[in-house]
């Protein structure tokens, strides 16, 4: 039974929301970040990069306190305002490829995360969890929702559609040509209906934002232990999420690039591959795989198709059937000697929207020796892996939609 409740969001004013909204801080290069801050005084980047004001890099707890100061200044200047009553927010994103995502921004339960009602499919790094937990405790807010997905529900969909018949409170387009829309769902009857419909859902899955949800859970545990009057309805019991139906979720693949052949010649490498794969040379024309357990490979100016010899591989779990895991277990680890996918600097990842031509360019440049393309995972696979209590290798999925920071803010 999922607990998904309305909350009072802090939001920018309608006139400047497009100027405030930003991509996640880490997704910008230093030059991109500074350019946006040079020419846009409203950017949320000014809050999360407070050292810009003093022309220096500030880290650790000192930075966290300055983040809070900048946030409070934005509120004092009327750039941000808090809604007067708890509501749900219907939210739509339409990207440049005309893909449309419709869902609800709401507060989701840290206890649901603890009790596996909210399930994960990726491992998190304990150090990063702790860092972000400390950040949340100091700054007192979270400005980017976790992306969650739930089974399609006609009643929830109908309430979202009803909200979208009204004039949107926000409608703006980012430089990446994603258009964002927000509507309040403030009708009391609809609010109660949404609560009850989410309560009927046994499991919700994290699509993107594993570290944010894990850190929010750590914050909940800390605050609960330190509050002798804990009741369970305090703001720290929840974290902000964008919930979309499974049919709206888009999963793209991350392709792999490797810098060397682990001391093997091209011929030795191909012979080792032949033990597990039927190999076909496809020539110089870019070639992409068409089905699961089928990879493309670019090596020495030529594309190859690799078809798994299934008789030689035993599928025991949902994770075994995941192509990212299969590539790791049959090629990356045993042949190319890559044990640690997260930290080995010999491997890099490119998400699927760059396509095979980018892999070709990266290998042709000499920076990499070989590249592998694969089919994307499915929502069904993601759910099965989570249900079995397993986790995907890093960079197994590139999830859409991609969210923006600073549009709705959850205060602790």
């Amino acid at each position: 039974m999922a607990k998904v409740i309305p909350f009072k969001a802090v939001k920018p004013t309608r006139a400047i929301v497009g100027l405030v909204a930003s991509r996640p801080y880490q997704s910008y290069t230093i030059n991109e970040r500074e350019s946006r801050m040079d020419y846009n005084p409203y950017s949320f980047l000014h809050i999360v990069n407070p050292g810009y004001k003093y022309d220096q890099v500030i880290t650790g707890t000192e930075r966290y306190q300055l983040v809070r100061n900048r946030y409070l200044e934005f509120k004092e200047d009327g750039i941000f305002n808090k809604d007067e009553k708890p509501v749900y927010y219907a939210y739509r994103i339409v990207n440049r490829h005309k893909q449309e995502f419709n869902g609800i921004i709401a507060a989701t339960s840290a206890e649901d995360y603890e009790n596996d009602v909210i399930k994960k499919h990726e491992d998190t790094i304990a150090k990063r969890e702790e860092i972000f937990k400390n950040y949340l405790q100091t700054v007192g807010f979270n400005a980017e929702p976790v992306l969650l997905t739930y089974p399609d529900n006609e009643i929830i969909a109908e309430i979202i559609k009803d909200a979208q018949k009204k004039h949107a409170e926000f409608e703006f387009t980012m430089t990446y040509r994603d258009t964002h829309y927000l509507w309040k769902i403030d009708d009391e009857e609809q609010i109660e209906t949404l609560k009850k419909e989410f309560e009927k859902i046994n499991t919700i899955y994290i699509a993107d934002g594993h570290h944010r949800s894990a850190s929010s859970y750590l914050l909940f545990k800390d605050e609960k232990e330190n509050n002798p009057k804990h009741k369970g309805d305090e703001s720290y019991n929840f974290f902000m999420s964008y919930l979309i139906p499974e049919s709206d979720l888009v999963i793209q693949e991350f392709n792999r690039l490797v810098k060397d052949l682990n001391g093997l010649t091209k011929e030795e490498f191909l012979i080792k591959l032949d033990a597990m794969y039927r190999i076909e040379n496809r020539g110089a024309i870019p070639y992409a795989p068409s089905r699961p357990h089928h990879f493309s490979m670019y090596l020495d100016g030529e594309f190859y198709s690799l078809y798994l010899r299934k008789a030689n591989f035993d599928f025991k779990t949902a994770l075994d059937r995941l192509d990212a895991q299969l590539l790791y277990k049959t090629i990356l680890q045993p042949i190319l000697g890559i044990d640690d996918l997260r930290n080995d600097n010999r491997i890099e990842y490119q998400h699927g929207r760059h396509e095979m031509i980018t892999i070709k360019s990266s290998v042709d440049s000499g920076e990499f020796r070989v590249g592998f393309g694969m089919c994307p995972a499915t929502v069904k696979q993601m759910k099965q892996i989570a249900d079995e209590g397993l986790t995907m290798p890093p960079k197994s999925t590139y999830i859409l939609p991609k969210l923006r920071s600073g549009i709705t803010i959850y205060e602790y």
Side-chain angles (χ1 to χ4, degrees):
M1 186 174 76
K3 190 171 185 179
V4 179
I5 66 171
F7 72 104
K8 299 177 186 178
V10 176
K11 310 192 308 297
T13 59
R14 176 182 172 85
I16 59 171
V17 61
L19 295 172
V20 172
S22 73
R23 302 201 313 269
Y25 174 84
Q26 299 90 342
S27 70
Y28 294 95
T29 66
I30 293 175
N31 288 339
E32 283 179 321
R33 201 159 54 228
E34 290 184 350
S35 174
R36 279 161 172 75
M37 296 172 72
D38 282 345
Y39 297 103
N40 179 5
Y42 299 109
S43 174
F44 192 75
L45 292 171
H46 285 283
I47 293 176
V48 293
N49 190 29
Y52 173 85
K53 183 176 181 179
Y54 303 104
D55 195 28
Q56 62 178 304
V57 176
I58 302 172
T59 60
T61 54
E62 184 180 22
R63 172 179 170 256
Y64 303 165
Q65 187 57 55
L66 288 175
V67 168
R68 178 159 182 78
N69 293 347
R70 293 293 87 73
Y71 173 66
L72 294 176
E73 288 169 7
F74 268 50
K75 291 183 73 175
E76 290 163 4
D77 292 342
I79 297 170
F80 286 139
N81 295 286
K82 190 169 186 174
D83 282 337
E84 294 182 358
K85 73 169 194 172
V87 299
Y88 292 104
Y89 302 90
Y91 201 83
R92 174 192 290 163
I93 302 172
V94 182
N95 67 22
R96 59 179 176 165
H97 303 295
K98 306 303 180 185
Q99 292 168 309
E100 188 171 313
F101 310 93
N102 293 281
I104 287 177
I105 295 176
T108 47
S109 168
E111 283 192 337
D112 282 353
Y113 180 89
E114 179 178 54
N115 297 328
D116 222 21
V117 174
I118 297 175
K119 289 190 176 183
K120 65 179 183 177
H121 65 267
E122 286 185 6
D123 277 331
T124 51
I125 300 170
K127 184 178 179 180
R128 284 183 61 190
E129 291 177 18
E130 192 69 25
I131 287 172
F132 193 59
K133 184 225 24 174
N134 294 336
Y135 171 85
L136 292 175
Q137 282 179 317
T138 303
V139 304
F141 68 87
N142 184 20
E144 184 183 342
V146 173
L147 180 62
L148 302 179
T149 189
Y150 59 89
D152 286 39
N153 179 296
E154 290 184 6
I155 295 174
I156 295 175
E158 201 56 46
I159 292 175
I160 293 172
K161 286 180 184 176
D162 187 60
Q164 292 173 343
K165 293 175 183 175
K166 305 168 190 173
H167 185 66
E169 182 173 348
F170 291 160
E171 179 180 346
F172 61 97
T173 301
M174 305 294 291
T175 53
Y176 270 50
R177 292 185 284 170
D178 291 352
T179 302
H180 298 247
Y181 306 82
L182 178 142
W183 298 262
K184 283 184 184 178
I185 301 176
D186 54 7
D187 177 83
E188 292 298 333
E189 186 176 336
Q190 289 185 329
I191 286 175
E192 286 305 310
T193 300
L194 284 172
K195 280 184 187 176
K196 290 176 182 176
E197 287 304 309
F198 279 114
E199 285 174 358
K200 295 176 185 177
I201 298 173
N202 293 324
T203 308
I204 292 175
Y205 296 85
I206 300 173
D208 198 12
H210 284 80
H211 280 93
R212 273 172 281 138
S213 50
S215 300
S216 297
Y217 170 64
L218 291 181
L219 175 69
F220 154 73
K221 287 210 305 181
D222 268 15
E223 297 296 324
K224 180 181 177 180
E225 289 171 5
N226 295 325
N227 182 4
K229 297 181 179 180
H230 172 82
K231 295 185 296 181
D233 60 355
E234 298 88 350
S235 59
Y236 60 73
N237 291 275
F238 302 91
F239 57 94
M240 182 171 63
S241 297
Y242 178 39
L243 300 103
I244 66 172
E246 291 172 6
S247 59
D248 273 17
L249 193 69
V250 173
I251 301 179
Q252 297 177 343
E253 71 281 9
F254 267 102
N255 297 320
R256 273 65 171 143
L257 288 158
V258 182
K259 293 184 177 180
D260 59 65
L261 297 182
N262 197 27
L264 301 171
T265 65
K266 173 184 173 181
E267 291 73 22
E268 289 169 337
F269 175 59
L270 290 173
I271 288 170
K272 286 183 177 292
L273 276 183
D274 193 81
M276 291 297 297
Y277 291 91
R278 180 163 59 87
I279 305 168
E280 294 183 14
N281 189 317
R282 300 284 181 164
I285 299 174
Y287 175 78
S290 58
R291 60 179 183 269
H293 311 156
H294 167 201
F295 302 102
S296 61
M297 181 176 72
Y298 185 69
L299 174 68
D300 271 359
E302 294 179 310
F303 285 91
Y304 295 83
S305 59
L306 307 179
Y307 296 90
L308 179 69
R309 300 185 191 278
K310 293 183 181 179
N312 293 349
F313 194 85
D314 187 16
F315 296 107
K316 294 180 179 177
T317 67
L319 181 60
D320 291 337
R321 295 183 178 277
L322 182 73
D323 279 353
Q325 178 75 354
L326 184 62
L327 185 71
Y328 171 63
K329 286 295 187 181
T330 60
I331 300 176
L332 298 179
Q333 186 184 48
I335 301 177
L336 294 178
I338 296 173
D339 292 311
D340 187 347
L341 291 170
R342 197 179 297 277
N343 297 308
D344 195 318
N345 61 14
R346 295 169 55 225
I347 187 169
E348 290 191 13
Y349 305 89
Q350 290 182 347
H351 46 72
R353 69 183 176 88
H354 288 318
E355 302 179 340
M356 296 306 298
I357 194 67
T358 310
I359 285 184
K360 180 181 186 303
S361 299
S362 298
V363 174
D364 287 346
S365 72
E367 184 180 1
F368 298 94
R369 187 75 170 88
V370 62
F372 299 95
M374 67 183 76
C375 291
T378 65
V379 174
K380 182 179 179 181
Q381 281 183 302
M382 183 188 80
K383 291 172 60 177
Q384 286 176 334
I385 289 168
D387 288 343
E388 292 179 18
L390 303 171
T391 54
M392 295 181 177
K395 301 293 185 183
S396 291
T397 56
Y398 182 80
I399 303 283
L400 296 177
K402 291 298 178 191
L403 307 178
R404 296 296 183 263
S405 298
I407 301 169
T408 55
I409 297 172
Y410 183 85
E411 291 188 326
Y412 292 103

